[in-house]
Amino acid sequence: MTMIDRRRLISAGALTGAVAATEPLAHAQAPGAAPAPALIGALPNRSRVSLDGRWKLILDPFDVSGRKPGPRRNFWEDRPTTDDGPLVEYEWASSDEIAVPGDWNTQAPELFHYEGPAYYRRDVEGPPADGRRRFLVFEAVNYRSRVWLNGEPIAEHEGGFTPFEVEVTDRLRPGANSLVVRADSRHGPETLPALDFDWKNYGGVTRSVWLVDTPATFVRDAFVRLEHGRILADIVVDGPDAGGAPVRLDLPDLDVGAEAVAGSDGRVRLSLAAPPGLRLWSPETPVLNTVSIAAGGDRWIDRIGFRTLETRGREILLNGRPRFLKGVAMHEERLGTEGGRVTTESEARALLTQVKALGCDFVRLAHYPHGETTVRLADELGLIAWAEIPVYWEDVAYDSAATLALARTMTAEMIVRDRNRCSVGFWSVANETPQTPERLAFLRTVISDVRALDATRLVTAALNKNVDVGGVRDGETRLIVADDLGRDLDVVAMNQYEGWYGRRTPGEIRQVSFGTTWEKPLLMSEFGADALHGHHGPRESRWTEAHQAWLFEETLEALAASGIFAGVTPWLLKDFRSPRRWHGRFQRGWNRKGVIDETGRRKLAFDTLRRFYGTS
Ligand code: GCB
């Protein structure tokens, strides 16, 4: 617990007063508590240099360098090669190149199916100006990474969708420095996701890489939000002068501010009564406010929206008002015939523009943390977002301490990166996981971390339904979520594929009723059917656009008639690549459940959904 000085606020008038913080800081970590990764927050507003561009690439399909290191093939050593010197069986200068950010699978036809280790290399400038610090920041490398600077190992990371960073201030030499990154996209029994998952495993340095410069003492992180009528900011100052550093918070758009002194650990909480002029963020009014924090010669700046999100019985309330969430799910795969990970803002915007065109106010960012760019766009465009970690299906090693530690770290990395994004309304800890004691204990630990890191979002998970709980009554089948995990969640979510998988046709969906044993809001987090764009035929015929549209109509009608759902995210916006979809005429490696195809062409179900959202 840290006490801060009670000080007067600088901006006159509008200010309602800064108060001493007496609550424990969200960052304060007790042993066994949520992991708190060191992440440089507000990345886009930092002084930073992009390392995106062409990097050299060496593939190591048999992982020889990893398993049998030796001077001939220790790529990270970056040895000079001379034809009359000792034998070295690689040469960076003459190696192929690859674009960063980018998955390797869609950059060269011969890499399309590649899953394994690959080494990337480029020069980086160094060192920073006197008295400054420099950090190397990776937004995402799929899946396991190791990093060497001038041949020295400096970082390791597991998990394909969350950022990591390492300070390189004292490691950089004047002039060019050799930076080598190993990305290994292989998955195994203890990874997340594990061995089986329904999307393409795009490997490589899939998001941007940065060199970020800061003053010696700087604002490393801040968590700024509206809670119980107050704007709270938990701030972490890092550096030699962090303890006792004066810290100043300003919200110039609202003409309020506060200041205080950091505790000996560099942490401080500032708290302001929400000013009367505060306009709350919502899909209809996606208002973002400039937030500036000054400490140690550094200025941290971000654009942050304020809103409240809570539940009341079976309702979800945004800013105190119940709303039905009109959503759609999506993968982070760009539009186009090739597929591939989203790497640019315009690719991310193109997807979210389609989401908006459906009339959505809600988007499920499945099944892993999407890029920071996407989440920031959701803030800007007014979309409530569901963010998720890849604890997916029954393959996950729920009894493995290593996998649990990984899930906790990933969760913390996701939350620490995105908890200033008001668009994020839901943290989802799992998708379609088995109802076993091991998995229950696993997810309960993750959920308690989520709550320790952020109390301003709703915790959820996409759950399997329990078929026919209560039996078949009057010819009606009851599909109920009775999962024990419901006790730990704020919002229960059900994935169900009546009319597609299983024996029923879309015309029989009305024989089903949906529900949950938990007195909590219920979302239908998935339903859907494959259809090939342009394939027309009778609605009874699978794979046709009419069949998919029929299933949408029947499901949406059943959902509306049931009156118990607080929102829905049909599966899904766009057809996406999946190596487990083999139908030669209709799939060919694509999951065809999109309401648009891979290039953005609309199927009939797009209009069915848009009509439903236009009238509901
Ligand atoms: C599911 C999964 C989703 C799949 C989808 C499908 O239940 O959550 O990842 O892609 O079904 O198409 O079968």
Side-chain angles (χ1 to χ4, degrees):
M1 193 175 294
T2 309
M3 298 298 291
I4 58 168
D5 282 359
R6 185 186 293 262
R7 296 230 180 152
R8 266 323 298 167
L9 306 177
I10 294 179
S11 351
L15 215 44
T16 3
V19 294
T22 49
E23 311 100 303
L25 294 184
H27 293 283
Q29 298 304 316
L39 290 178
I40 291 190
L43 192 55
N45 303 311
R46 298 283 184 183
S47 156
R48 61 179 184 174
V49 174
S50 170
L51 296 184
D52 293 351
R54 308 294 295 175
W55 291 47
K56 291 290 183 179
L57 180 76
I58 294 177
L59 292 190
D60 189 9
F62 294 165
D63 193 12
V64 182
S65 63
R67 292 181 305 104
K68 299 179 183 169
R72 269 163 41 204
R73 54 181 164 259
N74 285 352
F75 310 123
W76 54 90
E77 287 175 358
D78 200 353
R79 290 159 76 93
T81 52
T82 51
D83 295 351
D84 50 3
L87 176 63
V88 177
E89 292 194 83
Y90 67 93
E91 184 179 61
W92 280 112
S94 55
S95 295
D96 290 340
E97 291 192 341
I98 188 162
V100 169
D103 62 82
W104 59 57
N105 312 80
T106 56
Q107 294 198 48
E110 66 274 22
L111 296 183
F112 184 74
H113 292 294
Y114 186 67
E115 292 200 356
Y119 291 79
Y120 289 63
R121 187 207 174 280
R122 65 161 286 155
D123 282 342
V124 292
E125 290 280 302
D130 268 1
R132 304 272 296 173
R133 296 168 72 179
R134 187 161 285 179
F135 296 83
L136 181 59
V137 179
F138 292 87
E139 291 194 33
V141 177
N142 190 29
Y143 167 80
R144 220 179 233 116
S145 43
R146 277 190 224 153
V147 185
W148 294 265
L149 190 62
N150 300 321
E152 295 296 319
I154 58 167
E156 285 192 19
H157 185 258
E158 181 172 357
F161 303 98
T162 46
F164 61 98
E165 70 192 37
V166 55
E167 181 162 6
V168 291
T169 310
D170 299 326
R171 296 176 183 272
L172 289 164
R173 304 176 189 144
N177 292 257
S178 159
L179 176 63
V180 175
V181 179
R182 171 187 156 109
D184 183 350
S185 65
R186 287 173 296 178
H187 283 252
E190 293 194 291
T191 62
L192 291 174
L195 285 167
D196 184 15
F197 46 96
D198 189 23
W199 65 87
K200 173 100 183 143
N201 183 27
Y202 291 115
V205 183
T206 52
R207 295 186 191 144
S208 292
V209 186
W210 304 95
L211 281 178
V212 176
D213 278 13
T214 71
T217 296
F218 73 107
V219 181
R220 175 181 276 283
D221 183 35
F223 174 28
V224 186
R225 74 279 185 193
L226 181 65
E227 228 179 298
H228 307 302
R230 304 190 71 82
I231 293 174
L232 300 185
D234 287 341
I235 298 162
V236 183
V237 185
D238 182 345
D241 300 325
V247 180
R248 175 154 184 84
L249 165 73
D250 277 298
L251 286 81
D253 311 341
L254 301 169
D255 203 20
V256 293
E259 55 185 13
V261 170
S264 56
D265 59 357
R267 291 164 191 268
V268 64
R269 170 175 291 180
L270 287 169
S271 168
L272 296 168
L278 178 66
R279 287 181 64 213
L280 296 180
W281 181 96
S282 75
E284 295 71 36
T285 56
V287 181
L288 303 178
N289 306 277
T290 299
V291 176
S292 147
I293 297 166
D298 187 30
R299 186 177 288 276
W300 180 104
I301 294 179
D302 211 344
R303 300 270 298 154
I304 296 179
F306 299 105
R307 49 106 188 108
T308 63
L309 194 64
E310 62 208 311
T311 66
R312 185 176 62 199
R314 290 194 179 272
E315 292 176 326
I316 293 173
L317 277 55
L318 179 73
N319 299 329
R321 282 207 216 96
R323 66 192 287 150
F324 179 84
L325 299 177
K326 304 172 184 178
V328 74
M330 65 179 229
H331 270 289
E332 194 174 48
E333 189 182 77
R334 65 171 167 260
L335 284 158
T337 49
E338 294 306 316
R341 277 271 165 261
V342 166
T343 54
T344 65
E345 182 179 322
S346 66
E347 288 164 2
R349 197 181 280 277
L351 289 171
L352 294 184
T353 302
Q354 297 277 1
V355 172
K356 294 287 285 187
L358 278 166
C360 293
D361 57 12
F362 181 34
V363 62
R364 179 175 176 207
L365 303 176
H367 282 295
Y368 39 77
H370 289 211
E372 184 169 348
T373 305
T374 293
V375 186
R376 284 184 177 272
L377 279 173
D379 268 15
E380 184 193 302
L381 296 172
L383 286 165
I384 298 168
W386 159 312
E388 183 164 312
I389 51 164
V391 175
Y392 183 90
W393 285 353
E394 65 283 358
D395 289 33
V396 169
Y398 297 105
D399 55 356
S400 153
T403 306
L404 176 59
L406 174 62
R408 298 182 72 188
T409 302
M410 254 184 210
T411 302
E413 288 168 346
M414 171 177 76
I415 293 177
V416 170
R417 191 195 71 178
D418 285 348
R419 61 186 167 179
N420 288 318
R421 306 280 71 80
C422 56
S423 55
V424 177
F426 299 84
W427 298 124
S428 165
V429 295
N431 180 76
E432 293 183 358
T433 48
Q435 296 177 35
T436 61
E438 296 76 24
R439 163 280 201 172
L440 191 59
F442 182 107
L443 291 180
R444 281 189 169 152
T445 305
V446 175
I447 289 171
S448 68
D449 285 356
V450 173
R451 296 196 187 284
L453 288 162
D454 176 12
T456 67
R457 266 78 184 192
L458 302 175
V459 181
T460 192
L463 302 173
N464 289 317
K465 62 211 184 294
N466 299 77
V467 181
D468 294 352
V469 169
V472 177
R473 279 204 237 137
D474 306 326
E476 184 186 77
T477 303
R478 298 169 66 209
L479 301 179
I480 307 286
V481 174
D483 192 321
D484 281 345
L485 191 69
R487 189 186 315 280
D488 305 84
L489 303 175
D490 299 311
V491 171
V492 175
M494 171 197 281
N495 288 359
Q496 68 79 26
Y497 282 89
E498 289 304 307
W500 181 252
Y501 299 120
R503 60 186 166 78
R504 283 190 194 83
T505 66
E508 290 164 329
I509 292 172
R510 290 178 205 206
Q511 297 168 8
V512 172
S513 73
F514 302 100
T516 174
T517 49
W518 300 104
E519 258 313 303
K520 300 191 177 188
L522 177 65
L523 298 174
M524 191 182 285
S525 38
E526 286 182 30
F527 76 87
D530 285 59
L532 182 66
H533 178 269
H535 180 54
H536 296 296
R539 68 179 195 178
E540 288 73 21
S541 194
R542 273 186 193 270
W543 312 103
T544 61
E545 289 194 33
H547 186 270
Q548 185 193 35
W550 184 34
L551 182 139
F552 268 60
E553 270 158 33
E554 295 293 332
T555 307
L556 292 169
E557 201 153 304
L559 176 145
S562 77
I564 54 150
F565 286 96
V568 58
T569 49
W571 191 254
L572 82 171
L573 179 69
K574 182 185 85 67
D575 291 353
F576 62 98
R577 284 204 185 270
S578 167
R580 59 201 313 289
R581 305 287 168 179
W582 312 282
H583 197 297
R585 270 185 296 137
F586 301 117
Q587 294 179 308
R588 295 211 159 260
W590 292 86
N591 182 313
R592 294 279 177 210
K593 295 194 185 68
V595 293
I596 57 176
D597 77 354
E598 66 273 26
T599 62
R601 290 179 300 182
R602 292 176 182 180
K603 305 180 195 171
L604 293 174
F606 185 98
D607 284 325
T608 309
L609 186 58
R610 188 169 56 170
R611 268 198 309 277
F612 179 75
Y613 287 159
T615 52
S616 59

